[in-house]
Amino acid sequence: MVGRCGGLPLAIIVLGGLLASKATFYEWDTVHQNINSYLSRANGQEQRLGEVLALSYNELPYQLKPCFLHLAHFPENVEIPTKKLIRIWVAEGIISLVHNEGEGEEALEDVAQRHLTELVARCMIQVVEKSSTGRIRTCQMHNLMRRLCVEKAYEENFLLEINSWNVDELRGTSRARPVGKVRRIALCLDQDVDMFFPSHLKSHHHLRSLLCFHEKTARLAEWGLMKSFFNKCRLLRVLNLEGIQGQGGKLPKEIGFLIHLRFLSLRNTKIDVLPPSIANLKCLMTLDLLTGNSTVQIPNVIGNMHKMRHLYLPESCGGSIERWQLGNLKNLQTLINFPAEKCDVGDLMKLTNLRKLEIDDPKFGHIFRSHNLQFSHLKSLFFVSYEDISIVHVALGCPNLYKLHIDGPIKNFPEPHQLSSKLVKLKLMGSGLLVDPMPTLEKLPNLSLLELQLDSFIGKQLHCSQNGFPQLKSLVIHEMSNLEEWKLDKGAMPSLIKLKIENCTKLEKVPEGLRFLTTLQDLEIRSMFAAFRTKLEKGGEDHYKVQHVPTVVFCYCDY
Ligand SMILES: *[C@@H]1O[C@H](CO)[C@@H](O)[C@H](O)[C@H]1NC(C)=O
Ligand SMILES: *[C@@H]1O[C@H](CO)[C@@H](O)[C@H](O)[C@H]1NC(C)=O
Ligand SMILES: *[C@@H]1O[C@H](CO)[C@@H](O)[C@H](O)[C@H]1NC(C)=O
């Protein structure tokens, strides 16, 4: 702890240590002693505590301060999704590029990621969840720290929070508004938001960012109510309307006034038509159109949004037969639902900065068969295919893949050295493999999550050998209709925590080797025949194999 929080005054280290969630016992002990001696010297602890925390803010390097203040947007007890957070930071312009001699320019998202990590190291935020690749997926602020953050944000006029407590008070009166011009609003309303749009917002001409939060549905009588808001707040850079439910599925054309907009999320809004004026939003860096409706009518303008970095498209972008050209989106890092039916495959090949790509249309799986792929930055890939897929091609074209999810037939399963040794997460569906893939997969040094689903293997026997799958934490074996036997040698999967066996109707029993998996915490048996289950229950002949597992869940629903 002391090492990680190095360079800060002792009191902060102490408090920081207290606030961190994962201190070791020794660290906690030291922290405890230190805090006691500190507090015994301090009178009026509550206030002193506040002062000490304030120091930790004052000590922050200047580039981290706005990042920290920005966290005041998020309501108490909310787990903050870091991917979105980082995109908003970038859109806000609070992340600046660092030029390193010799090395190329770092992506803004990577700089932001480092800032986030630094805030964690300074114990100002806590990691809640990490992804399988070790990325921080969600984070949270300790309540004391959050209080400081909100206070500072208020003091510095960084943002205004509008919630059900103060919405009435704020409307109509100027009394409660902070002095100066409000540039950011966090709207935390668990009710109809009509009262807010447009009457309240009209007065905020200087608004740069509006983030909406709500636990339940936030209703808007009709999207038309946004017109005057779009018309007035033309300086907006960040607009998160996630989850707002309005009558009519058409976004008003006035959205086109927001020419500075860099972040627009319409996720779960049921919007199904975008107006042609969306073409004006040339600065967009993140556009999230996973609206909850599988089809959204999108005009043919996306290809001109050259600053686009993260693009989430719906399953279908509408019936127009116009061709889209996306080949110029050189900054694109994330592309969800590549609109293969509207685009030239050659365009996709030009998007060489992609880090995450999803293609959910099986007609285009052939891309990964014949073309000369070169996605050297791609970390995460999902695609569906009707035709046979060559994993070797995929591995050669995408040498830095961490996550791979393929839904479709795979003929020849490669040798271990032909797969990326970086793979952390692999999901195969409907591969129809004739040969047991385990001897290859078990040699991937970092594989941590494996799902074999829907007859991804159609033989009778799987065999996992000693020392195989050194890092595997989670394994799902789902619907392998021919599988009769699964052999698991002692010493295989030494790190396994979760195992799910689902609907493998011919599998007679769990492997003997299960009893050596001392790390196993969760075993889920789902849609298996009663004969299979009763063997595992108390008194059953296989119970000894699983009696050490803390949680064994049977789902009886199906058979
Ligand atoms: C999705 O859009 C269609 C029209 O494009 C509409 O009829 C339907 O109600 C929408 N679905 C939802 C859930 O809003
Ligand atoms: C495996 O993961 C570790 C820790 O994340 C990393 O340092 C190492 O480079 C990875 N190995 C490969 C082959 O990618
Ligand atoms: C179980 O798998 C069989 C094929 O093996 C399939 O027909 C059936 O629908 C599956 N059942 C469930 C509940 O998924």
Side-chain angles (χ1 to χ4, degrees):
M1 194 58 52
V2 171
R4 278 200 286 131
C5 299
L8 293 170
L10 174 69
I12 294 161
I13 297 169
V14 168
L15 275 164
L18 262 189
L19 297 172
S21 58
K22 282 181 185 150
T24 65
F25 179 76
Y26 171 76
E27 285 164 343
W28 272 107
D29 212 32
T30 324
V31 161
H32 192 74
Q33 283 165 15
N34 287 341
I35 192 98
N36 275 345
S37 72
Y38 175 78
L39 288 180
S40 65
R41 277 180 277 124
N43 295 322
Q45 281 90 332
E46 181 80 356
Q47 195 193 341
R48 285 306 180 97
L49 217 69
E51 285 168 21
V52 173
L53 285 177
L55 257 182
S56 66
Y57 171 72
N58 296 337
E59 289 273 327
L60 278 180
Y62 71 94
Q63 70 275 26
L64 290 188
K65 281 188 175 163
C67 298
F68 176 74
L69 292 181
H70 190 274
L71 295 166
H73 277 96
F74 294 85
E76 204 171 341
N77 301 325
V78 155
E79 289 182 17
I80 304 168
T82 59
K83 226 184 225 177
K84 187 164 146 197
L85 177 71
I86 282 174
R87 285 166 194 180
I88 295 176
W89 285 357
V90 169
E92 280 253 4
I94 58 180
I95 305 294
S96 344
L97 275 182
V98 188
H99 296 270
N100 295 327
E101 292 273 331
E103 297 164 41
E105 208 165 72
E106 201 178 4
L108 287 165
E109 285 79 358
D110 296 337
V111 179
Q113 182 70 49
R114 280 197 290 104
H115 289 355
L116 188 76
T117 313
E118 173 128 22
L119 287 172
V120 170
R122 288 170 174 267
C123 312
M124 298 185 80
I125 46 176
Q126 293 154 289
V127 176
V128 178
E129 200 193 339
K130 282 197 170 185
S131 76
S132 49
T133 53
R135 187 181 63 79
I136 303 173
R137 186 177 277 153
T138 56
C139 61
Q140 206 168 22
M141 235 186 227
H142 190 281
N143 281 347
L144 281 177
M145 193 57 95
R146 184 173 180 278
R147 215 192 298 164
L148 166 81
C149 180
V150 169
E151 267 168 30
K152 287 284 169 197
Y154 188 83
E155 255 173 57
E156 306 208 357
N157 215 357
F158 191 88
L159 98 153
L160 173 64
E161 183 186 332
I162 297 182
N163 53 38
S164 40
W165 303 104
N166 66 6
V167 66
D168 289 326
E169 197 184 331
L170 288 168
R171 193 159 46 142
T173 74
S174 55
R175 183 171 47 90
R177 279 179 212 147
V179 278
K181 298 160 183 169
V182 173
R183 298 201 191 275
R184 300 181 184 84
I185 289 183
L187 183 63
C188 310
L189 288 182
D190 255 336
Q191 52 186 325
D192 295 347
V193 289
D194 297 11
M195 60 199 299
F196 183 80
F197 295 106
S199 57
H200 184 69
L201 276 175
K202 269 199 301 216
S203 51
H204 291 300
H205 304 172
H206 304 281
L207 200 63
R208 298 286 168 83
S209 150
L210 176 73
L211 302 189
C212 300
F213 300 95
H214 40 85
E215 276 173 44
K216 297 172 225 125
T217 340
R219 265 176 238 291
L220 183 72
E222 51 159 332
W223 284 105
L225 287 175
M226 293 264 175
K227 286 181 187 174
S228 60
F229 165 55
F230 292 155
N231 198 359
K232 285 278 160 64
C233 300
R234 295 191 184 192
L235 298 176
L236 271 178
R237 289 179 167 204
V238 174
L239 182 58
N240 178 34
L241 298 174
E242 218 168 299
I244 289 186
Q245 306 297 323
Q247 280 296 315
K250 193 167 189 294
L251 193 66
K253 66 176 188 312
E254 286 75 6
I255 188 81
F257 289 133
L258 308 183
I259 54 169
H260 301 288
L261 207 58
R262 295 169 180 199
F263 178 101
L264 174 61
S265 176
L266 298 173
R267 193 174 281 209
N268 298 326
T269 53
K270 303 241 170 83
I271 289 278
D272 56 27
V273 182
L274 294 188
S277 63
I278 202 94
N280 297 349
L281 312 190
K282 293 240 166 43
C283 294
L284 274 180
M285 295 173 145
T286 297
L287 177 59
D288 189 335
L289 297 173
L290 298 177
T291 64
N293 199 323
S294 57
T295 301
V296 179
Q297 304 289 337
I298 304 173
N300 181 10
V301 298
I302 304 279
N304 292 326
M305 299 179 173
H306 294 174
K307 302 227 161 88
M308 191 68 77
R309 300 164 87 88
H310 307 284
L311 182 59
Y312 292 79
L313 293 172
E315 277 167 47
S316 162
C317 300
S320 145
I321 49 162
E322 263 184 285
R323 304 297 290 169
W324 285 19
Q325 290 182 341
L326 299 186
N328 288 326
L329 304 186
K330 299 290 183 213
N331 296 305
L332 208 58
Q333 294 176 21
T334 310
L335 178 52
I336 306 300
N337 290 325
F338 174 65
E341 79 287 356
K342 289 186 179 296
C343 288
D344 192 25
V345 166
D347 277 9
L348 183 64
M349 302 305 154
K350 291 183 193 152
L351 306 178
T352 49
N353 275 320
L354 280 177
R355 295 180 175 197
K356 183 178 171 105
L357 173 63
E358 294 190 4
I359 306 180
D360 200 4
D361 186 333
K363 292 195 293 295
F364 298 88
H366 67 87
I367 299 170
F368 297 95
R369 236 162 68 104
S370 47
H371 281 77
N372 240 343
L373 296 171
Q374 238 353 291
F375 290 121
S376 53
H377 298 285
L378 202 64
K379 291 183 177 168
S380 172
L381 172 65
F382 162 65
F383 67 94
V384 189
S385 179
Y386 286 141
E387 298 175 52
D388 286 348
I389 297 148
S390 156
I391 289 210
V392 178
H393 264 113
V394 174
L396 281 174
C398 317
N400 289 307
L401 272 189
Y402 285 86
K403 297 185 187 176
L404 177 60
H405 175 179
I406 299 179
D407 181 352
I410 296 173
K411 269 289 139 65
N412 303 309
F413 209 66
E415 297 291 313
H417 69 271
Q418 293 174 302
L419 276 176
S420 163
S421 58
K422 294 185 173 158
L423 273 182
V424 170
K425 200 168 166 179
L426 178 67
K427 193 165 161 181
L428 298 177
M429 296 166 82
S431 326
L433 293 168
L434 294 162
V435 179
D436 181 0
M438 294 303 194
T440 289
L441 297 176
E442 69 187 6
K443 295 192 183 69
L444 294 173
N446 278 359
L447 192 65
S448 140
L449 219 133
L450 175 63
E451 295 191 17
L452 299 174
Q453 301 204 6
L454 297 167
D455 285 327
S456 46
F457 168 62
I458 52 177
K460 292 181 179 169
Q461 194 193 74
L462 288 174
H463 183 194
C464 304
S465 53
Q466 195 181 8
N467 301 327
F469 294 108
Q471 292 294 334
L472 198 69
K473 307 275 187 310
S474 170
L475 173 65
V476 173
I477 295 181
H478 169 244
E479 216 166 306
M480 308 261 228
S481 50
N482 296 335
L483 184 67
E484 292 171 8
E485 190 185 11
W486 173 25
K487 280 165 72 175
L488 183 67
D489 293 353
K490 187 177 175 181
M493 305 186 184
S495 315
L496 198 71
I497 297 171
K498 271 182 83 152
L499 171 63
K500 180 164 152 183
I501 302 175
E502 179 170 357
N503 195 17
C504 297
T505 43
K506 288 192 183 153
L507 185 66
E508 284 164 20
K509 54 189 176 191
V510 296
E512 181 73 21
L514 223 53
R515 69 194 176 95
F516 304 113
L517 299 184
T518 51
T519 48
L520 193 61
Q521 295 287 320
D522 282 300
L523 173 63
E524 190 179 328
I525 305 288
R526 210 171 237 282
S527 306
M528 297 292 283
F529 285 122
F532 185 93
R533 292 197 311 260
T534 44
K535 277 186 215 166
L536 288 173
E537 286 163 359
K538 231 180 196 138
E541 60 188 89
D542 283 348
H543 182 65
Y544 71 98
K545 297 177 187 170
V546 299
Q547 61 182 358
H548 65 290
V549 184
T551 311
V552 182
V553 176
F554 296 98
C555 182
Y556 297 83
C557 32
D558 312 293
Y559 294 103

